[in-house]
Amino acid sequence: MSSTAEEQQHPLGIYLKIWLLLFVLSVFSYLVDYFQFQGYLRWSLILIFMALKAGFIVAIFMHMAWERLALITAILIPPLCLLVLVFLMSVEGDYTFKARVNYFGADPNAVPLSPSEIHH
């Protein structure tokens, strides 16, 4: 085995540590439901644990941590831009809904129609 091939192998211990960390994060995710957190706290905790698990999987098991910065940037920046756009659309949707309620008298407790109610 050449020295280059030996340098590219990663120690097995880091995979086991990350696997254990993923297990702990999964337990925390289930504890959010077990303790019945509600509202923004529930969704914030779920999204934080989900992002941490996804980040560890991409970094270690998909070997992103050992790649060059340019490749990491090329892979991670587009999804981050999409997340920012989704957040901005969410803010815009909330503003539009509140404007309809305030200026046009729309029912703030309106329930959207199901597809079967629309196409009957």
Side-chain angles (χ1 to χ4, degrees), residues 21-92:
L21 187 59
L22 291 173
F23 179 77
V24 170
L25 289 173
S26 295
V27 168
F28 287 160
S29 295
Y30 289 117
L31 287 178
V32 169
D33 283 335
Y34 181 78
F35 289 117
Q36 299 179 355
F37 291 118
Q38 297 296 323
Y40 288 118
L41 177 64
R42 171 192 167 89
W43 291 110
S44 298
L45 289 174
I46 289 174
L47 290 176
I48 287 170
F49 293 139
M50 179 185 69
L52 284 173
K53 289 191 294 186
F56 282 124
I57 290 170
V58 169
I60 303 302
F61 293 108
M62 296 175 76
H63 304 245
M64 184 69 74
W66 295 281
E67 294 293 338
R68 295 176 186 232
L69 182 61
L71 183 61
I72 293 171
T73 304
I75 291 174
L76 293 182
I77 292 297
L80 291 177
C81 289
L82 285 176
L83 287 176
V84 169
L85 289 174
V86 167
F87 173 75
L88 291 175
M89 288 188 287
S90 168
V91 171
E92 173 69 20

